């Protein structure tokens, strides 16, 4: 079946601009996660959704970052007033539920470059 | 919070040799440890995982061992092939209220030379 998809695959923007990154999870998965991966590092947790609600947004670096999942399926990560330090690969993952033993399946990521 | 250390950062082996990657974790309550393989330009793909109620798990050429007392776990790849070349990440899942959050190591770049 279809895996997690993310669009766009690449996004180049200028400092100060607003960007939106989209994630389509595996159909039926209620849990959705966003991670950020800087060059040469492992993914770092940003936010976790269970259904439509953000159950944990403790990983969001500051209030320029916001994410929504209005219908409990597709999610959008929004970054305001982008900074060069925001450049990274943004990964989305989904799982059947949020249980500890559930496998998280990752999408291919969106590579964000802030000039 | 959880902290995961991974070694080595790079590993080069000859085709057919074995490769071992080691990780340690800090939260003794963590109970789920997946390993992901990431190829260039792609997202991480789960290759094997282990839960804290077992000490070893094997899937064909890949095995993972877990030592809960020492808080470390290892990935073993036998009979390596060039297509095994990738970055490998270990991870640990938190405990209690954050048992959905994966904490990753920094990764190991594995190169298998033909």
């Amino acid at each position: 079946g279809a895996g997690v998809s993310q669009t766009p695959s690449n996004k180049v923007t200028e400092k100060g601009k607003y960007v939106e990154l989209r994630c389509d999870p595996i159909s039926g998965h209620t849990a959705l996660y966003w991670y950020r991966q800087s060059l040469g590092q492992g993914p770092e947790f940003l936010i976790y959704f269970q259904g439509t609600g953000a159950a944990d947004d403790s990983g969001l670096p500051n209030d320029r970052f916001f994410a929504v999942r209005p219908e409990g399926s597709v999610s959008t990560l929004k970054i305001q007033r982008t900074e060069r330090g925001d450049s990274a690969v943004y990964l989305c993952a989904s799982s059947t539920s949020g249980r500890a033993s559930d496998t998280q399946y990752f999408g291919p990521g969106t590579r964000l470059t802030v000039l | 919070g959880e902290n995961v250390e991974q070694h080595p950062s790079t590993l080069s082996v000859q085709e057919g040799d074995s490769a071992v990657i080691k990780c340690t974790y800090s939260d003794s309550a963590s109970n789920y440890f997946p390993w992901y393989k990431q190829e260039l330009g792609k997202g991480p793909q789960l290759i094997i995982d282990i839960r804290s109620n077992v000490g070893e798990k094997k899937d064909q050429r890949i095995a993972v061992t877990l030592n809960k007392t020492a808080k470390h776990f290892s990935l073993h790849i036998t009979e390596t092939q060039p297509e095994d070349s990738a970055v490998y990440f270990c991870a640990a899942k938190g405990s209690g209220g954050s048992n959905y959050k994966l904490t990753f190591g920094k990764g190991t770049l594995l190169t298998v030379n033909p």
Side-chain angles (χ1 to χ4, degrees), chain B residues 54-83:
Chain B
V54 298
E56 183 173 357
K57 183 177 178 181
K58 190 173 182 179
D59 182 4
Q60 300 183 351
R61 297 185 297 109
I62 295 173
V64 57
T65 59
L66 171 65
N67 183 329
K68 285 212 71 182
T69 303
K71 291 189 284 187
H72 66 69
F73 56 113
S74 301
L75 178 71
H76 304 252
I77 306 174
T78 58
E79 301 171 28
T80 53
Q81 302 167 2
E83 51 265 39

Side-chain angles (χ1 to χ4, degrees), chain B residues 41-55:
Chain B
K42 298 184 178 181
Q45 180 181 14
L46 180 75
I47 55 171
I48 196 167
D49 57 15
I50 190 167
R51 290 165 175 78
S52 60
N53 57 345
V54 298

